[in-house]
Amino acid sequence: MPTSFTVVPVEAQGEERQRDGQQREEEDEGDERDQGTGDGIARESSPFINCAELGRGSMYEGKNMALFEEEMDSNPMVSSLLNKLANYTNLTQGVVEHEADEDSKRKEVKGPRMGTFIGVYLPCLQNILGVILFLRLTWIVGTAGVLESFIIVFMCCACTMLTAISMSAIATNGVVPAGGSYYMISRSLGPEFGGAVGLCFYLGTTFAGAMYILGTIEILLTYISPSAAIFKVADAGEETEAMLNNMRVYGTCIVILMAIVVFVGVKYVNKLALVFLACVILSIIAIYAGVIKTAFDPPDFPICLLGNRTLSKRSFDVCAKFTESNNETKTTPLWLLFCDSSLLNATCDDYFSLNNVTEIQGIPGIMSGVLTDNLWSAYSEKGSIVEKKDQPSVAGSEESKMGGLPYVFTDIMTYFTMLVGIYFPSVTGIMAGSNRSGDLKDAQKSIPTGTILAISTTSFIYLSCIVLFGACIEGVILRDKFGEAVNGNLVVGTLAWPSPWVIVIGSFFSTCGAGLQSLTGAPRLLQAIARDGIVPFIQIFGHGKANGEPTWALLLTVGICEIGILIASLDSVAPILSMFFLMCYMFVNLACAVQTLLRTPNWRPRFKYYHWTLSFVGMSLCLALMFICSWYYALIAMLIAGCIYKYIEYRGAEKEWGDGIRGLSLNAARYALLRVEDGPPHTKNWRPQLLVLLNLDNEQLVKHPRLLSFTSQLKAGKGLTIVGSVLQGIYLDKCTETHKAEENVKALMGVEKTKGFCQIVVSPNFRDGISYLIQSAGLGGMKHNTVLMAWPQSWKQAENRFSWKNFVDTVRETTSAQQALLVAKNIDLFPTNQERFTEGNIDVWWIVHDGGMLMLLPFLLRQHKVWRKCKMRIFTVAQMDDNSIQMKKDLQMFLYHLRLNAQVEVVEMFENDISAFTYEKTLMMEQRSQMLKQMQLSKNEREREAQLIHDKNTAPRSAPAVEASVAVAVPEKVQMTWTKEKFVAEKHKNKDSNVSGFKDIFNMKPNQSNVRRMHTAVKLNGVVLNKSQHAQLVLLNMPGPPKNRKGDENYMEFLEVLTEGLDRVLLVRGSGREVITIYS
C-alpha cells in the first residue's frame, strides 16, 4: 500500500516549533488573564490546582505519547500535574502580604513551616483562655455552685469539642487554602450560607474585640489604678453608672489606639503574640501553685461580716464596731458608717445594732472542706446583699435604708441561662488553628490534632479550676464579682502564688493582646468575604492599601467594636458574641453532617474519627445553647443571618463551589422526582407547566422578549417553566452558537424574572427541532403540559422560517401529545412586567369546553401586579335553540362553585345567510392558495432546468462523479437522468399544464366547507369586536386544524379572520382533560 511522506527541513522544524512555543505562551497568558477574574481563587476553576498554568512547552517532545497529542491542551501529562501539586504554595493569589515582598514570600513558603504545636496548639490555647477565666469564672462558681458550674462548662466544652471534630473532617477533606473557617463553611455550604455565617463570624469576632477591651479597662480601673477613673462616685448607689461611663470613655480611647497600632504595623501584633501567650500560661501556673500552697499555708485574706452579710472593706480597715485602748472604748470607722455619730449612745442602723461583726478567712484552703458549702447555687436579684449561708443573723426592720451602707451588693440579677451566655465566650477560639492553615507544614494533620488537644487542655483547666475554686475560696468571696470584700483585689489573684499581681498584670496583657488580635483578624475576614463577591453591598471593604491591608474593613470593624464598648458592660456584650459564635459552630456541624449523609464522591476526609450523629448532636447543642443563653438574642442573630442569606440569594453573585447544599438539592430533587407520579396529576394539583417556544434571530437574540414577560405573569401557578428554542443545522457546527443562544436566553430570563430552565436544540430541520422539544423536554413527572408560543405574524411570506406549515404541525403535535397550547397574537403589544393596568377587562370567549383552561388562565394572570386591577368577563355564545337566560344562570352558578369572580354575559348568534363578503373572502383565499401551488411548481421546473444545464456541461468529462456530486449538492430534489428530448417534452408539457392551471384559478368556485368556516370566523369576529374591542386581553377557544392537510393554509386564514381587529389575543387550546374543579 503506497504511503505519502512530507519532508520538512530541520530549520523549518525549528521555526515551526518556535512558532508553536510562542503560540502556547500566548495561550498561557490568556489562561492567566482568565484566572484573574471571578472570585479571585484560581483553584476553583478546575478539579485540580492550577491545571491551566501547567507548562506545555515540553509536552509534545518525544513520541511515546503521540496518541494523546491533540488532548494535551486540556489534559496535562500526569508528571506535569504532580509537579505542580508538589509546588503548590497554599497562599491566596493576588494578595501581597503587608510585611514582605513577593520574593521574600516565596522564600518563606519554601522554608520550613510551623508544626502542630506552634501553629495550632498554642494559638488555640491563647484564644480560648482569656478574660472570662480571670474576671468571671470565680463569680460563676460562687453564683451557680460547683455542680451547676460544672454542667455549664461541660456543655460548652462538649459543644466546642464536637464542632472541632466536624471542623477536622472538613479541614482534612482536601487542601484548605489560606482563609480558614470562612473558606471551609462557604465551600461546604455554598455562597448563601457561607456569606451569612461568614458575616456572623465576623460580627462575633468584632464583638469579642469589644469584650476584651472592656475586660482590659475593668482590670485597669478596678484592680490596677482605681484613681484613674474620670467619673467619680458622688452619691451612694451611683457606682455602676460611673463605672459604665468610665468604660465608655476609656474604651473609645483604647479602641482608637489599637486601631492605629493595627493600621501602622501588624507585625508588632504578631510578634507580641508570644508575650501575651506567656502571660496567660504564667497566670494559670500561678493559680495552680497557689492552690497547692493553700493545702499547708493558706494566704491571709480576712473577710468582715456583719451578721451573715458581707462588708466591703474599701471604706474601713478595722473589722470591729469599737476598739479598746488604754482602758478606753473607741468607735471605729465602721461604726460611723452605720451610726449618726461616733458616740457609743448614737442612733445606729437596726441590723447593725442587733448583729455582731465577725471576721473569717476568705481562702481557708483546699483541705478546709469549704467545697461542700459551695456545691449548690446562690442566685440572687439585682441589688441584693451577698450573704454567707449558715451564719447566725438577726433580722432587722425592713425599713432600714441600705443604699449608703458598706455592704457587698450584686450588680445584676443572676440565673442559670444568663451565666451560660456570659461563660460561653471563654471556650471560643477553636478556629485559630484553621485560620493559620496557610502557614502550616501539614495542615491536614496539624489542624485536627492541635485543635482537639487544645480543647482537651483548656477543658481540663476550666473544669479543674471550678472544683479548685470551690474547694479553696469562701462562697461570699466567690460571689463578690469585683473583690470588694478583699480590699478590691482580683478574686483569682487572692488565690495565686507568689502574688496577686501576677494574675492582675498577666490578665491585663492577655486581654490587651486578645483585643489586638480580634482587631487584626476581623477586618481580614471581612475582606475575604468582600473579595469573594457574594455580598454586593460590602464589596468596597475588599479594597485596602497597596500592600493588601484591609483599611476600609478596619474602619468598619472599629465602628462596630465601638457599639459594643458603648454598651460598656462585659456581662451584656458576652451573650451577643456567644450568639454569633454559636451560629457559626452550628453551621460547621451542619456542613459535616450534610456532606457525610450525602456521601458525595469527593467527601474523603483524612480525619476518620467523625460521624454524622456527632455532628448532629453538636449542631443541636449549639442551637440549644443559643436559646439557653438568650432566646431573644438568638432570634435576632438568626434573623440577621436569614436576611443576609436571602439578600445573597436574590442579589448576590452566582457561585458554584461544589458545596454540600447543592448536593443536598440534587438528592432532594432526585427523591422528589422519583416520588412524583409519571402519570398526569390530579385536577386539584394541576398547574400550567410551560414549554415556551422562542424565536431567535441571526445574532441568537430573542425576537419577542414580551413572550417571557407574559410567562412570568402566568407563573402565579408556580409550575415548571422550560424555555426552548431551535437552531437549524448540525450540532457539531453550531456548538458555539448554541452556547451563545443559551446565554442570551438565560440573561433575558433573569431580566424578566422568569424562573425556569433553558433548552436549546439543534436540528437539521426547524420543524423536527420543535417536535423534539415537545416530545422530550422535562424529566420524569416534571414534564410540561402546556406549550406557549407566539403567532407567526409573517406566515404569508414564503421565506419565513417559522412558516404556517411549522405552526400547524406544532398545533397537531401538541394535540397528539395531549398538551394544552397557548398562542399569543400581537405579542409585542403585550405589557412588560413594569407596566400596570389600572383598569380594563380580561375577556374570555368560552365557545367550547376544553377542560377549563379559559377559566384558570385569567385567575392566574390576575395574581400578577400587571393584571391585578383588571376585571374578568366571561362571554359564551348561545345558538338558536338555546335558552340564553338559563345559560347565564347556570354559568353564574358554575363560576360560584369554582370560586371565581367574573361578570357573565351570554351572546346570541342567530343563523343568517352567508354574506357576499364571506363568499368573496373565501374565494380569494382559495385562489391565493392555488396560485401559491402553481408558483411552487414553476420553481421546481426552474430547478430542473438548471440541473439539466449542469449535467449537459459536465457529463462528457466525468459522468459518474457528476451524478454523485449532484446527489450530494441537492439531496432534496428529484434525481433524474435527462436527455435533450426528454427535457423538451417535459418543458412543453409543464408549460401547457401551467397555462391551463392559471386559467382554472379565475374560473374556480369556492369549497362549500370553507365558505361555512369563513362564515363562522367572520360572524364570531364581529361579535367579539362588538363586545371586546377595548379589552386589555381577549382569550378565545382556538379551533383545531383540519384533518385534511391540504387545507392547512386555509386554517391560518380562518384564525387570522377570527382575531382581526383585536390588540392582544390569547388563543387557547386545551389538552382535553379537566384542569379546574368545583370540589375541595
Side-chain angles (χ1 to χ4, degrees):
M1 183 175 178
T3 307
S4 59
F5 293 91
T6 303
V7 180
V8 181
V10 176
E11 293 82 6
Q13 287 182 356
E15 290 171 5
E16 188 174 345
R17 187 176 293 124
Q18 189 174 0
R19 284 196 302 271
D20 288 345
Q22 291 173 354
Q23 186 178 355
R24 291 182 199 117
E25 287 174 5
E26 291 171 5
E27 290 172 359
D28 288 347
E29 290 173 6
D31 289 342
E32 289 173 5
R33 285 193 299 270
D34 291 342
Q35 285 181 351
T37 59
D39 59 1
I41 300 175
R43 291 177 290 278
E44 300 291 342
S45 60
S46 99
F48 298 104
I49 301 164
N50 297 336
C51 70
E53 298 177 359
L54 296 176
R56 299 177 185 139
S58 61
M59 287 184 183
Y60 301 115
E61 295 179 9
K63 301 168 187 173
N64 292 336
M65 293 296 152
L67 183 61
F68 299 94
E69 201 169 83
E70 294 182 358
E71 300 178 21
M72 295 296 185
D73 284 332
S74 56
N75 302 331
M77 290 284 291
V78 173
S79 57
S80 303
L81 175 67
L82 293 177
N83 184 40
K84 277 290 178 184
L85 283 171
N87 294 328
Y88 175 53
T89 63
N90 209 7
L91 289 176
T92 307
Q93 296 183 1
V95 178
V96 181
E97 292 296 330
H98 41 71
E99 306 301 343
D101 59 10
E102 291 183 358
D103 294 333
S104 62
K105 184 173 67 179
R106 289 194 192 99
K107 291 175 185 175
E108 184 184 348
V109 167
K110 289 181 180 178
R113 296 193 199 163
M114 291 185 288
T116 303
F117 186 75
I118 298 293
V120 180
Y121 181 74
L122 290 182
C124 285
L125 211 64
Q126 180 185 2
N127 278 267
I128 295 172
L129 299 171
V131 62
I132 302 294
L133 170 65
F134 301 121
L135 295 183
R136 292 291 181 270
L137 191 59
T138 53
W139 173 70
I140 290 172
V141 172
T143 305
V146 173
L147 292 179
E148 289 186 26
S149 300
F150 200 89
I151 293 170
I152 291 172
V153 175
F154 183 80
M155 276 198 310
C156 295
C157 291
C159 174
T160 53
M161 179 62 80
L162 292 171
T163 304
I165 291 171
S166 299
M167 185 189 72
S168 300
I170 298 170
T172 58
N173 186 48
V175 179
V176 178
S181 52
Y182 162 70
Y183 185 92
M184 288 191 297
I185 296 168
S186 61
R187 269 55 177 182
S188 296
L189 289 177
E192 293 88 1
F193 278 111
V197 179
L199 285 175
C200 285
F201 192 52
Y202 162 74
L203 291 173
T205 308
T206 306
F207 275 104
M211 184 188 74
Y212 292 133
I213 292 171
L214 291 174
T216 304
I217 302 161
E218 186 176 310
I219 294 168
L220 176 68
L221 295 181
T222 309
Y223 307 114
I224 296 178
S225 178
S227 60
I230 297 172
F231 296 89
K232 305 294 184 182
V233 180
D235 299 320
E238 294 183 358
E239 296 89 348
T240 304
E241 190 64 32
M243 186 65 180
L244 294 179
N245 288 330
N246 284 320
M247 284 201 162
R248 291 182 182 111
V249 174
Y250 274 97
T252 304
C253 297
I254 289 179
V255 76
I256 293 171
L257 185 66
M258 285 185 173
I260 293 170
V261 171
V262 172
F263 180 78
V264 171
V266 181
K267 66 178 180 182
Y268 300 114
V269 178
N270 294 332
K271 287 178 180 177
L272 287 171
L274 285 175
V275 177
F276 299 142
L277 178 61
C279 291
V280 176
I281 294 172
L282 284 173
S283 301
I284 292 170
I285 291 172
I287 292 171
Y288 281 110
V291 169
I292 295 170
K293 183 175 177 292
T294 61
F296 52 87
D297 184 17
D300 183 27
F301 278 102
I303 309 167
C304 192
L305 299 176
L306 176 62
N308 65 351
R309 297 178 179 178
T310 312
L311 297 176
S312 172
K313 295 188 74 173
R314 291 181 186 272
S315 307
F316 64 93
D317 51 357
V318 178
C319 183
K321 292 183 179 181
F322 37 77
T323 58
E324 292 187 8
S325 62
N326 300 326
N327 295 325
E328 185 181 354
T329 303
K330 294 181 179 180
T331 56
T332 62
L334 179 62
W335 179 279
L336 289 172
L337 293 172
F338 285 90
C339 302
D340 56 1
S341 72
S342 59
L343 300 174
L344 292 174
N345 60 354
T347 304
C348 296
D349 179 75
D350 192 24
Y351 188 84
F352 182 77
S353 303
L354 294 173
N355 290 278
N356 294 324
V357 175
T358 55
E359 196 172 49
I360 62 171
Q361 276 299 323
I363 303 179
I366 195 169
M367 307 300 290
S368 64
V370 74
L371 177 64
T372 53
D373 297 332
N374 293 329
L375 280 177
W376 312 109
S377 61
Y379 299 119
S380 58
E381 297 289 327
K382 180 180 179 180
S384 59
I385 301 171
V386 176
E387 298 177 344
K388 178 174 169 54
K389 302 171 186 175
D390 304 327
Q391 185 76 9
S393 170
V394 179
S397 64
E398 295 297 327
E399 297 177 0
S400 60
K401 190 176 181 180
M402 295 186 297
L405 301 179
Y407 293 125
V408 178
F409 295 97
T410 55
D411 62 335
I412 55 173
M413 185 174 70
T414 52
Y415 44 91
F416 179 81
T417 57
M418 187 267 292
L419 295 180
V420 175
I422 291 175
Y423 174 75
F424 187 80
S426 65
V427 295
T428 59
I430 62 173
M431 301 286 190
S434 63
N435 288 340
R436 290 168 171 77
S437 57
D439 303 321
L440 298 174
K441 190 186 300 181
D442 185 359
Q444 296 194 12
K445 178 184 176 185
S446 297
I447 289 176
T449 309
T451 306
I452 291 172
L453 274 178
I455 292 173
S456 303
T457 305
T458 53
S459 299
F460 171 76
I461 291 171
Y462 281 128
L463 293 170
S464 61
C465 279
I466 285 172
V467 176
L468 295 175
F469 290 163
C472 294
I473 306 174
E474 185 62 51
V476 289
I477 296 292
L478 289 173
R479 291 192 293 281
D480 182 8
K481 186 187 288 187
F482 301 109
E484 294 179 25
V486 284
N487 302 319
N489 280 305
L490 184 62
V491 176
V492 184
T494 60
L495 184 63
W497 180 87
S499 167
W501 286 100
V502 175
I503 300 289
V504 173
I505 301 300
S507 60
F508 179 78
F509 283 112
S510 167
T511 50
C512 276
L516 275 172
Q517 288 194 331
S518 295
L519 288 180
T520 305
R524 279 160 179 73
L525 178 60
L526 181 63
Q527 187 182 43
I529 300 169
R531 285 184 172 176
D532 261 347
I534 57 175
V535 187
F537 72 87
I538 67 164
Q539 285 187 352
I540 186 174
F541 300 110
H543 307 296
K545 292 196 292 186
N547 58 9
E549 280 296 298
T551 311
W552 293 106
L554 177 61
L555 289 175
L556 180 68
T557 303
V558 170
I560 297 173
C561 195
E562 179 65 19
I563 294 172
I565 285 166
L566 291 176
I567 295 173
S569 171
L570 188 145
D571 300 322
S572 301
V573 173
I576 297 174
L577 67 103
S578 295
M579 291 302 119
F580 292 121
F581 278 118
L582 278 167
M583 186 171 289
C584 179
Y585 296 165
M586 181 176 72
F587 281 104
V588 170
N589 285 299
L590 174 65
C592 182
V594 166
Q595 297 276 27
T596 307
L597 289 172
L598 287 178
R599 297 177 183 172
T600 52
N602 193 50
W603 179 248
R604 304 185 301 274
R606 288 192 175 278
F607 181 78
K608 301 298 182 186
Y609 306 102
Y610 71 95
H611 196 266
W612 69 266
T613 52
L614 293 176
S615 301
F616 185 77
V617 170
M619 183 180 68
S620 305
L621 190 54
C622 288
L623 188 63
L625 283 173
M626 284 177 69
F627 283 92
I628 286 172
C629 293
S630 173
W631 64 268
Y632 47 91
Y633 277 163
L635 291 177
I636 292 170
M638 294 173 82
L639 181 66
I640 292 171
C643 291
I644 297 169
Y645 177 93
K646 296 306 289 184
Y647 178 81
I648 296 171
E649 187 178 36
Y650 284 110
R651 295 293 305 276
E654 288 292 329
K655 300 284 181 183
E656 178 51 65
W657 287 332
D659 50 85
I661 296 298
R662 294 290 190 277
L664 185 63
S665 301
L666 285 172
N667 270 24
R670 171 182 165 275
Y671 176 77
L673 279 171
L674 292 173
R675 288 291 302 271
V676 173
E677 295 180 8
D678 203 11
H682 191 274
T683 304
K684 287 187 287 187
N685 292 328
W686 194 95
R687 59 195 67 192
Q689 318 271 31
L690 293 177
L691 169 63
V692 185
L693 298 178
L694 291 181
N695 248 345
L696 304 178
D697 59 17
N698 293 330
E699 297 295 325
Q700 316 308 330
L701 296 172
V702 178
K703 280 187 178 179
H704 303 293
R706 300 284 178 95
L707 198 60
L708 284 180
S709 304
F710 186 67
T711 303
S712 62
Q713 292 159 23
L714 261 178
K715 289 319 290 174
K718 303 293 184 188
L720 173 76
T721 301
I722 302 171
V723 180
S725 188
V726 177
L727 297 182
Q728 200 163 350
I730 307 296
Y731 182 70
L732 290 175
D733 301 333
K734 295 279 185 178
C735 189
T736 307
E737 293 179 27
T738 304
H739 291 308
K740 183 181 177 183
E742 192 169 346
E743 288 175 4
N744 292 339
V745 172
K746 284 183 177 177
L748 185 61
M749 289 172 70
V751 171
E752 299 294 343
K753 296 181 180 178
T754 306
K755 293 196 176 287
F757 308 98
C758 174
Q759 190 166 352
I760 306 295
V761 171
V762 180
S763 170
N765 185 301
F766 192 80
R767 162 74 195 81
D768 291 342
I770 296 290
S771 178
Y772 298 158
L773 278 173
I774 291 173
Q775 291 178 65
S776 61
L779 181 64
M782 290 297 286
K783 290 181 73 70
H784 62 277
N785 54 28
T786 306
V787 177
L788 172 62
M789 60 195 296
W791 172 265
Q793 298 287 355
S794 54
W795 65 272
K796 294 182 180 180
Q797 298 176 10
E799 298 301 323
N800 183 22
R801 173 169 78 162
F802 200 146
S803 64
W804 52 268
K805 287 185 179 178
N806 292 336
F807 178 81
V808 178
D809 284 342
T810 303
V811 176
R812 285 198 176 98
E813 289 218 350
T814 53
T815 305
S816 300
Q818 295 184 335
Q819 294 172 5
L821 176 66
L822 309 178
V823 179
K825 194 176 180 200
N826 300 326
I827 185 63
D828 294 328
L829 297 178
F830 276 59
T832 62
N833 289 327
Q834 287 71 40
E835 294 181 43
R836 300 287 183 270
F837 288 137
T838 55
E839 59 181 359
N841 300 311
I842 300 176
D843 286 356
V844 177
W845 284 85
W846 192 21
I847 313 298
V848 293
H849 180 62
D850 56 356
M853 275 285 282
L854 282 166
M855 311 289 182
L856 187 62
L857 291 174
F859 169 77
L860 297 178
L861 282 173
R862 290 181 68 239
Q863 307 301 308
H864 197 272
K865 294 177 182 177
V866 174
W867 306 92
R868 187 164 292 163
K869 294 188 178 179
C870 292
K871 294 179 181 177
M872 181 176 166
R873 297 194 302 181
I874 296 183
F875 297 89
T876 188
V877 177
Q879 299 297 322
M880 195 70 178
D881 301 332
D882 295 329
N883 184 345
S884 56
I885 298 174
Q886 188 61 40
M887 276 182 69
K888 185 173 182 178
K889 288 182 179 178
D890 293 343
L891 183 54
Q892 285 174 336
M893 183 57 67
F894 181 57
L895 290 176
Y896 175 78
H897 287 305
L898 289 176
R899 291 91 63 202
L900 294 175
N901 295 320
Q903 182 182 339
V904 175
E905 191 169 336
V906 177
V907 178
E908 296 179 344
M909 278 182 65
F910 300 109
E911 291 189 11
N912 53 9
D913 295 334
I914 296 171
S915 65
F917 170 76
T918 303
Y919 190 88
E920 187 67 27
K921 200 165 183 67
T922 310
L923 181 60
M924 286 173 62
M925 176 186 74
E926 292 192 355
Q927 284 177 347
R928 177 182 173 277
S929 176
Q930 193 66 25
M931 196 176 295
L932 284 172
K933 287 180 182 177
Q934 295 294 344
M935 288 170 66
Q936 186 67 27
L937 288 173
S938 302
K939 183 182 176 184
N940 290 340
E941 180 189 318
R942 287 197 303 275
E943 287 173 354
R944 288 177 180 175
E945 187 173 353
Q947 187 177 348
L948 171 65
I949 294 167
H950 185 271
D951 287 345
K952 187 175 180 181
N953 291 337
T954 56
R957 280 173 274 175
S958 175
V962 169
E963 285 179 11
S965 67
V966 171
V968 172
V970 196
E972 69 275 6
K973 305 296 181 290
V974 179
Q975 300 300 317
M976 299 177 66
T977 305
W978 292 93
T979 62
K980 188 174 182 181
E981 293 78 8
K982 274 186 181 181
F983 175 65
V984 172
E986 186 71 19
K987 188 174 180 181
H988 286 294
K989 177 184 171 184
N990 286 336
K991 189 180 291 184
D992 295 341
S993 63
N994 285 346
V995 172
S996 62
F998 279 110
K999 285 179 182 178
D1000 291 341
I1001 288 175
F1002 298 104
N1003 297 328
M1004 66 185 297
K1005 291 184 179 181
N1007 187 306
Q1008 289 302 312
S1009 175
N1010 287 340
V1011 172
R1012 289 199 314 275
R1013 286 189 173 91
M1014 182 63 77
H1015 173 69
T1016 304
V1018 171
K1019 194 81 188 297
L1020 194 54
N1021 176 253
V1023 173
V1024 173
L1025 277 177
N1026 183 36
K1027 297 287 186 180
S1028 305
Q1029 188 168 11
H1030 302 294
Q1032 302 292 8
L1033 180 64
V1034 177
L1035 283 82
L1036 271 169
N1037 279 118
M1038 181 179 181
K1043 294 181 180 178
N1044 184 3
R1045 290 177 179 269
K1046 290 181 180 179
D1048 284 356
E1049 64 271 28
N1050 298 337
Y1051 171 69
M1052 297 295 290
E1053 192 71 48
F1054 295 145
L1055 293 180
E1056 193 75 65
V1057 171
L1058 179 63
T1059 57
E1060 194 173 359
L1062 298 171
D1063 287 340
R1064 302 182 194 92
V1065 183
L1066 187 66
L1067 294 170
V1068 181
R1069 184 161 175 76
S1071 60
R1073 59 159 294 167
E1074 293 293 331
V1075 300
I1076 193 167
T1077 178
I1078 63 174
Y1079 300 106
S1080 61

